[in-house]
Amino acid sequence: MASLTLDRPAPPPAQRRDPRRTRRLLSAALLYTVLVVAAAAIMLPFFWMVVSSLKNNNQIFTVPVQWLPDPAVWQNYLDIWDKSEMSRWLRTTLLLSITVTLLQLFTGSFAAYGFAKMRFPGRDVLFLAYIGTIAVPWQAYMIPQFILMTRLGLSNTLWAMVALQAFGAFGVFLMKQFYESIPEELSEAARIDGLSEYAIWWRIVLPLSGPALATLALLTFVNTWNDYLGPLIYLRNPDIWTIQIGLRSLVSQYNAEYALIMTGSVLSVLPIAIIFLLGQRYFVQGIATSGLKG
Amino acid sequence: MATLDVTASAPAPVPATVTPKAPRRERAPGSRLRRRNTLIGWTFILPNFIGFATLTLVPVVILLYLGFTSWNAFGAATFTGTDNFERLVRDTTFHTALKNTIYFAVMHIPLTLGASLGLALLLNRKMRGMAFFRTVAFFPYITSIVAIAVVWNMLFSPEAGVINQMLMAIGIDDPPGWTTSTTWAMPAIVIVATWRDMGYYMLLFLAGLQAIPSELYEAARVDGASAVQRFRNVTLPSLRPTTFFVTVMLTIASFKIFDLILVMTNGGPGTSTLVLSQYIYRKGFVENDFGYASAIAVVLFVICLGVTVLQFLANKRRDA
Amino acid sequence: MKRSLITRSAVLAAATLALTGCSTGGSDTTAGASAVCEDSTEPVTLSLAAWGLSTSTDFQTLTDSFHLENPNITVELAEYDATDYDTQLTADLAAGSAPDLYPIKTITTFPTYQEGGQLLDVSEVTDVLGADYPGIEYYTTDGAAYAVPYRQDAWYLYYNKELFDLAGVSYPDGTWTWDEYDDVAVELTENLEAAGQQNVKGTYLHSWATALQSFATAQAGSDEAYFAADWDYMVPFYERAIALQDAGAQENYGVVTTNSLTYQGQFGTQKTAMMPMGSWYIAALLSQRESGDADVFEWGIAPAPQVDDTTLDHPVTQGNPTAIGINAAIDDAKACAAKDFLTYVSSEPAAVELAGIGLRPSYTADVVTDTVFSQEGMPTDPESRVAFSTLEAHPDAPLGSDTPALQNILKDAHSAILSGAVSPEDGIAQAMERARSEGLG
């Protein structure tokens, strides 16, 4: 796969000859074929999800598998808004995901600067503590954490979800690794110029970390959106349910109504897919190179 | 999104004009400067650390203590010393779960690393439709886990499943029983886990690839480096921090695998896919043996941390 | 839409019944309650853990009608997740934020809550009900009761009369042993295939371990053997299941799990002629017929098959009693009102209301059976009625603090044996060994 990529640009210094061009066209065609086939295979479960949402409940799990609905039942896409609080779940989750993402971006990238660019005693131990907590399965310390949150008066509020998600070690680690790939000379030069550390972070390092920030934003958003165990434990009040916990309640309550559940799943994935497509261009642009030019 | 605006509005103004001055001023009053540095370092870390310490670090420390107690989640925990760990030594189910976890990690880590890096290289180009294909690659990660389990189980169905139909078509007469076989259930899980996770790690690799200055490639090309040489001498070294990050995260995630197994096989058939996280959950929430569950979590923690520290050391050595 | 209409009319019917029942049964229960503790007219608000509130109305029905009888007591429902109820409840109890009253959703978790000191002694309520009241024994420890049963599920053999007719096989008559059940399953499959029904099996065994093991323990085992991990008595049950699979008379376990088959789909769309299943499926089947998810066909229920003919008079089957307990941390001032509520849920008016929404209450009486069978779509034959109420139900497993751990081991054995990884004999032997290595048995 690697060699495929690298075949790509390298136009010979001399003018182009025809065979070369044919070869390039051929390899592009081959690449697209491979991509299309792989994409179809990767999307199969999603395809099944959509198809199931268009079936009767008892047509979903059958032997042999029925790959196309016959006839297509669109009713679920109308019913779900009546049978559930779908629109409220979506709104709550969107609000929560945005809040968490903003907080995580700020605290994560800020702390990462301390870990990557500052030297002070205890730094490495502290960082290891961060990594260490990632290594503990959440279900093992869920109860102590729940008791703590309840004492703080946070359980059964959306603040519990914010508190749970926004200070994760993941963002700190990701941003730290990225900052380390930014040449030290840049911040050194700025220091000599008299910039404070905060200014260096804000004016030099942050603008260089576009792709990393975009990645962190996207992953945090998706993880908050898709988190199900957290809301399950902390949110009892149906008024503040997130989409995953709402879907979960659909599964529990309409436990035989798989078509409805699949409809909900399709609807819950769509916003993420849209955000992903929109966020795409931030990965495509080579933002990071600009700082080194001139 | 807001931070992306930041990127746009502040187009890296400073460094280019600055010419590094000769030797930096001496850090003569060393201790004072160090104290200042420590202070500034802490102010950077503090906003995150306050939340992290109270909500994650404290419960984790409590958990480490609970591993040495008998606790049913209600009331106080009774300190029992190393009883739980002695029990672990004799518990054959724990041994099975430990073996299965390592088996999963050993297969899943290299496969996912290779697949996600390959995808990232393949999709890191300015061609029509790349945005679409990247989204597709990421789709498994956002598809509902219930749907994932249902569909993959169907695909793996020994007689009626698509996979075995294909295997038989190409002349394999006795295809594996996948999730219904004690031998093949774990490989089946590894396949699904790789399929699901590769888009996630691809994204991290893509961010890393974006950060490689294109000047480096141009320079290499001017020097007459071949594609393979450019990959080995430019791409891989520049990608090191990202690769390290991905490897550590992937390792920890593999040792902690839980949800996928829960919905696909629930540890079966028999105990052939029972893993540590699941055993922790069973002992804790199903059997209310939270002290013992915490002890298993401590073991898992020590394993993860050990592997991570090894990775850190290896990384440091290569840096040096 | 249709579903909500049904439930609404059911609630109405139940409310009417409750109102009319007030003068007789109602006064009885309040008399019982006032004997339990001093009546107070101060307004009290209790909270009760509940699940599935938007679709199932059992909790709402109970609390509403209770409030009609006891205007000064309001019971508010606290919603929990149906699947992860115990996880959520454990967290809440540990943090001291659990409701005043909570149902024991899975009976095997009862020892956990009781031994953890999370349940109040409610013997005052159960003493009035008497020791014969179904299910009380399972919630009694050292002579004291810690929860009051209100629902008693039971497993029956559901059968599709039209498929039996098509195959020319006579209906189960209440005298079946498992051997007869096996023979009929094979015969049905063959005859149905000959009649052009290729994809229909004689019977269906759902993937749950309890679907097989709880029958084995209830009919062929004992509490002592279960706790001692002497599980040899399960081997014949597994051998029978494997034989049915091999004969093609029952869907293969691997297919059931890999294709996530649902029992509602199998029986409801006539993929199987028979199916052992719990009493909760009655309500589900009726509502699926209504919604079009299930076919409309004649069906019936028969007693679960027995090991031999000695228990035919009073067939032994599995089925959990569901009970409600009082949080030990409840405010003293509220404890009395909470006990009043428990007295109510175990009474006849409450039972009639539960029956009206398709549940099988603990309280047994003809009026309860009448209410269940008066629903549209229910079988009309007298045999089904007899089968519904005449039985001896045992819970999923004998209750003790080791039960959850033993059940986990048995679950693993179940999947290993039915997927063909080990023979029934070896699978059970390995499970027994494993139990001993964990210090159980």
Side-chain angles (χ1 to χ4, degrees):
Chain A
M1 268 190 236
S3 59
L4 237 180
T5 329
L6 298 157
D7 268 355
R8 160 199 38 144
Q15 80 273 50
R16 287 190 190 115
R17 281 164 297 150
D18 263 348
R20 185 84 197 180
R21 197 166 168 194
T22 331
R23 232 188 82 193
R24 254 179 55 203
L25 274 175
L26 264 175
S27 79
L30 186 74
L31 174 70
Y32 276 115
T33 318
V34 169
L35 284 177
V36 168
V37 171
I42 288 176
M43 291 292 276
L44 191 66
F46 184 75
F47 170 76
W48 183 86
M49 224 161 92
V50 175
V51 165
S52 302
S53 68
L54 300 174
K55 286 181 177 178
N56 278 329
N57 290 314
N58 286 338
Q59 285 174 349
I60 295 176
F61 304 111
T62 53
V63 185
V65 180
Q66 193 187 332
W67 283 106
L68 286 174
D70 176 36
V73 187
W74 294 97
Q75 195 60 35
N76 287 317
Y77 283 90
L78 302 175
D79 282 355
I80 194 159
W81 306 99
D82 290 336
K83 284 191 177 177
S84 73
E85 297 285 333
M86 198 74 187
S87 50
R88 186 167 60 195
W89 297 340
L90 286 171
R91 243 180 299 130
T92 308
T93 318
L94 195 66
L95 180 75
L96 184 68
S97 300
I98 290 174
T99 312
V100 166
T101 305
L102 290 179
L103 265 171
Q104 168 84 84
L105 280 179
F106 166 68
T107 66
S109 64
F110 203 56
Y113 185 89
F115 281 122
K117 298 287 180 191
M118 306 287 299
R119 267 174 231 289
F120 57 92
R123 185 194 68 168
D124 291 344
V125 174
L126 196 60
F127 188 66
L128 204 62
Y130 266 83
I131 308 289
T133 59
I134 306 181
V136 183
W138 187 62
Q139 65 267 27
Y141 63 89
M142 201 165 95
I143 294 278
Q145 194 184 43
F146 185 85
I147 296 175
L148 204 78
M149 286 264 213
T150 309
R151 299 249 162 95
L152 293 173
L154 289 179
S155 85
N156 211 357
T157 67
L158 283 175
W159 291 115
M161 300 324 301
V162 174
L164 213 58
Q165 301 266 9
F167 306 102
F170 174 82
V172 179
F173 191 12
L174 173 68
M175 294 312 294
K176 173 188 181 267
Q177 287 310 106
F178 189 83
Y179 288 165
E180 278 179 356
S181 71
I182 296 176
E184 189 62 25
E185 296 83 47
L186 283 183
S187 30
E188 278 303 318
R191 254 171 225 139
I192 291 159
D193 247 23
L195 256 67
S196 73
E197 295 293 334
Y198 309 104
I200 296 174
W201 170 73
W202 177 251
R203 293 174 59 185
I204 297 176
V205 174
L206 259 196
L208 286 179
S209 12
L213 285 173
T215 308
L216 178 59
L218 187 74
L219 294 183
T220 308
F221 190 92
V222 170
N223 283 337
T224 311
W225 186 276
N226 281 347
D227 184 22
Y228 134 74
L229 257 182
L232 178 81
I233 300 303
Y234 283 99
L235 307 180
R236 297 284 189 285
N237 182 357
D239 292 344
I240 52 169
W241 274 356
T242 64
I243 181 75
Q244 297 303 328
I245 203 75
L247 274 183
R248 175 56 178 226
S249 77
L250 270 185
V251 175
S252 297
Q253 288 159 30
Y254 297 91
N255 64 357
E257 300 206 18
Y258 288 93
L260 194 69
I261 293 159
M262 287 304 151
T263 309
S265 308
V266 171
L267 290 177
S268 77
V269 168
L270 285 184
I272 301 229
I274 292 166
I275 287 169
F276 192 96
L277 267 173
L278 293 179
Q280 269 304 304
R281 53 202 190 92
Y282 292 102
F283 300 110
V284 187
Q285 295 164 353
I287 305 164
T289 56
S290 55
L292 285 176
K293 278 185 190 145
Chain B
M1 290 286 143
T3 41
L4 295 172
D5 294 341
V6 169
T7 319
S9 63
V14 205
T17 53
V18 183
T19 37
K21 285 174 199 157
R24 278 198 300 143
R25 70 191 123 99
E26 282 293 301
R27 293 189 167 179
S31 68
R32 191 134 158 254
L33 195 75
R34 206 182 304 138
R35 213 178 313 136
R36 206 181 128 250
N37 251 350
T38 308
L39 210 70
I40 297 177
W42 267 101
T43 56
F44 272 105
I45 291 165
L46 214 59
N48 190 279
F49 188 74
I50 291 172
F52 167 78
T54 46
L55 299 163
T56 308
L57 202 55
V58 169
V60 166
V61 171
I62 294 175
L63 162 99
L64 297 182
Y65 166 72
L66 287 174
F68 297 89
T69 67
S70 164
W71 188 50
N72 63 5
F74 311 125
T78 328
F79 187 80
T80 54
T82 54
D83 279 10
N84 288 330
F85 297 93
E86 281 159 34
R87 209 173 128 196
L88 279 176
V89 175
R90 292 188 306 267
D91 183 349
T92 54
T93 315
F94 167 72
H95 302 159
T96 312
L98 182 62
K99 259 183 274 169
N100 289 341
T101 309
I102 293 172
Y103 181 36
F104 174 83
V106 164
M107 286 200 289
H108 180 243
I109 296 168
L111 268 177
T112 306
L113 212 53
S116 54
L117 180 59
L119 268 178
L121 290 170
L122 197 66
L123 296 177
N124 183 39
R125 56 181 67 198
K126 286 173 185 155
M127 278 169 83
R128 213 174 287 260
M130 284 305 130
F132 169 76
F133 288 119
R134 280 184 212 146
T135 313
V136 166
F138 196 61
F139 242 91
Y141 190 73
I142 56 173
T143 301
S144 111
I145 190 139
V146 180
I148 290 178
V150 165
V151 174
W152 276 98
N153 264 318
M154 268 176 352
L155 297 178
F156 278 132
S157 188
E159 281 133 47
V162 175
I163 291 174
N164 276 2
Q165 300 277 354
M166 272 167 26
L167 288 179
M168 286 197 275
I170 59 166
I172 297 170
D173 292 330
D174 188 23
W178 300 114
T179 49
T180 63
S181 141
T182 43
T183 319
W184 287 97
M186 194 56 104
I189 301 255
V190 170
I191 291 172
V192 181
T194 306
W195 166 85
R196 185 186 63 161
D197 296 341
M198 65 188 182
Y200 181 84
Y201 294 106
M202 169 200 79
L203 216 58
L204 296 171
F205 274 127
L206 272 177
L209 286 173
Q210 291 298 329
I212 302 175
S214 54
E215 288 86 347
L216 287 181
Y217 285 107
E218 275 153 33
R221 225 171 270 138
V222 169
D223 290 349
S226 72
V228 177
Q229 282 171 328
R230 284 202 303 274
F231 175 71
R232 280 183 44 191
N233 299 326
V234 179
T235 312
L236 275 187
S238 310
L239 214 51
R240 267 266 299 292
T242 311
T243 314
F244 174 68
F245 174 73
V246 169
T247 313
V248 170
M249 294 307 296
L250 181 61
T251 306
I252 295 178
S254 302
F255 276 104
K256 278 168 57 182
I257 176 82
F258 178 59
D259 54 349
L260 198 62
I261 289 193
L262 200 70
V263 293
M264 277 200 64
T265 60
N266 194 12
T271 50
S272 61
T273 54
L274 180 75
V275 287
L276 286 178
S277 288
Q278 201 187 352
Y279 198 49
I280 293 169
Y281 187 80
R282 275 194 193 180
K283 283 291 165 197
F285 284 96
V286 183
E287 302 175 19
N288 261 58
D289 204 347
F290 283 95
Y292 193 53
S294 304
I296 306 169
V298 171
V299 173
L300 183 53
F301 167 77
V302 169
I303 294 172
C304 280
L305 209 60
V307 175
T308 310
V309 167
L310 283 182
Q311 286 168 340
F312 261 96
L313 292 179
N315 191 51
K316 267 222 171 111
R317 187 181 300 166
R318 265 196 290 169
D319 266 343
Chain C
M1 288 289 259
K2 278 173 180 165
R3 177 191 286 261
S4 65
L5 263 181
I6 300 173
T7 47
R8 209 173 301 152
S9 54
V11 172
L12 262 178
T16 334
L17 279 165
L19 283 173
T20 50
C22 225
S23 50
T24 54
S27 62
D28 267 347
T29 52
T30 35
S34 59
V36 166
C37 43
E38 286 161 44
D39 256 334
S40 150
T41 47
E42 292 279 298
V44 183
T45 303
L46 299 168
S47 53
L48 167 67
W51 58 86
L53 292 181
S54 65
T55 48
S56 67
T57 49
D58 46 346
F59 294 111
Q60 197 64 58
T61 310
L62 284 177
T63 52
D64 286 352
S65 52
F66 174 70
H67 184 63
L68 278 180
E69 274 193 42
N70 302 272
N72 64 320
I73 308 174
T74 311
V75 183
E76 283 173 357
L77 297 175
E79 176 138 22
Y80 282 74
D81 180 75
T83 314
D84 283 298
Y85 175 77
D86 286 302
T87 306
Q88 289 184 334
L89 189 65
T90 302
D92 271 346
L93 286 169
S97 55
D100 301 322
L101 291 147
Y102 57 92
I104 314 289
K105 188 167 186 283
T106 315
I107 189 169
T108 45
T109 61
F110 168 71
T112 306
Y113 295 125
Q114 194 271 323
E115 287 166 23
Q118 301 301 307
L119 287 166
L120 206 65
D121 184 339
V122 292
S123 304
E124 288 164 302
V125 179
T126 55
D127 285 349
V128 179
L129 292 170
D132 289 341
Y133 187 89
I136 281 188
E137 54 181 303
Y138 300 110
Y139 293 100
T140 304
T141 306
D142 295 331
Y146 290 91
V148 179
Y150 70 106
R151 257 182 83 172
Q152 173 66 59
D153 278 304
W155 281 54
Y156 308 114
L157 182 65
Y158 291 78
Y159 63 97
N160 182 325
K161 292 183 180 171
E162 292 175 14
L163 287 177
F164 267 72
D165 291 343
L166 189 63
V169 177
S170 51
Y171 303 155
D173 57 1
T175 65
W176 281 12
T177 61
W178 288 106
D179 289 337
E180 278 172 275
Y181 163 85
D182 292 348
D183 294 343
V184 173
V186 174
E187 197 187 341
L188 280 167
T189 313
E190 284 166 0
N191 293 5
L192 286 170
E193 194 177 345
Q197 299 282 332
Q198 256 75 27
N199 287 323
V200 180
K201 303 277 183 193
T203 190
Y204 177 76
L205 177 72
H206 199 53
S207 56
W208 304 324
T210 50
L212 187 147
Q213 291 171 355
S214 300
F215 275 125
T217 305
Q219 297 178 347
S222 66
D223 288 13
E224 294 73 35
Y226 183 85
F227 285 121
D230 285 331
W231 297 324
D232 293 314
Y233 64 82
M234 290 193 186
V235 174
F237 283 79
Y238 276 107
E239 281 168 347
R240 271 200 289 267
I242 299 275
L244 278 179
Q245 283 189 20
D246 291 347
Q250 173 175 296
E251 195 61 84
N252 201 301
Y253 177 78
V255 175
V256 174
T257 53
T258 56
N259 289 56
S260 321
L261 295 185
T262 61
Y263 62 86
Q264 299 96 332
Q266 293 301 296
F267 191 77
T269 59
Q270 313 195 67
K271 301 278 190 312
T272 178
M274 305 188 284
M275 177 173 80
M277 188 44 65
S279 44
W280 59 84
Y281 180 51
I282 293 178
L285 178 59
L286 293 182
S287 84
Q288 287 209 338
R289 281 162 70 105
E290 196 80 25
S291 68
D293 284 318
D295 301 346
V296 173
F297 53 85
E298 290 290 308
W299 57 287
I301 54 173
Q306 303 295 301
V307 172
D308 53 43
D309 56 13
T310 56
T311 48
L312 291 179
D313 298 345
H314 212 70
V316 176
T317 189
Q318 58 164 311
N320 290 327
T322 310
I324 300 181
I326 301 176
N327 186 348
I330 195 174
D331 214 322
D332 282 343
K334 290 178 172 183
C336 184
K339 283 174 187 170
D340 280 350
F341 181 70
L342 293 187
T343 304
Y344 173 73
V345 298
S346 53
S347 69
E348 182 172 307
V352 171
E353 294 189 35
L354 290 171
I357 51 176
L359 298 175
R360 193 179 186 284
S362 301
Y363 185 97
T364 36
D366 284 346
V367 59
V368 171
T369 316
D370 287 345
T371 312
V372 170
F373 278 83
S374 67
Q375 299 175 90
E376 202 190 314
M378 284 297 288
T380 48
D381 59 301
E383 290 83 2
S384 291
R385 273 188 66 111
V386 174
F388 180 82
S389 46
T390 315
L391 50 86
E392 181 188 325
H394 292 231
D396 273 359
L399 302 184
S401 46
D402 286 346
T403 307
L406 295 171
Q407 270 194 310
N408 277 336
I409 293 171
L410 282 165
K411 258 184 215 167
D412 292 338
H414 183 78
S415 65
I417 296 171
L418 285 187
S419 65
V422 284
S423 69
E425 213 174 333
D426 294 349
I428 292 296
Q430 283 164 18
M432 286 158 53
E433 211 170 288
R434 201 182 129 194
R436 300 205 166 104
S437 96
E438 287 187 32
L440 307 159

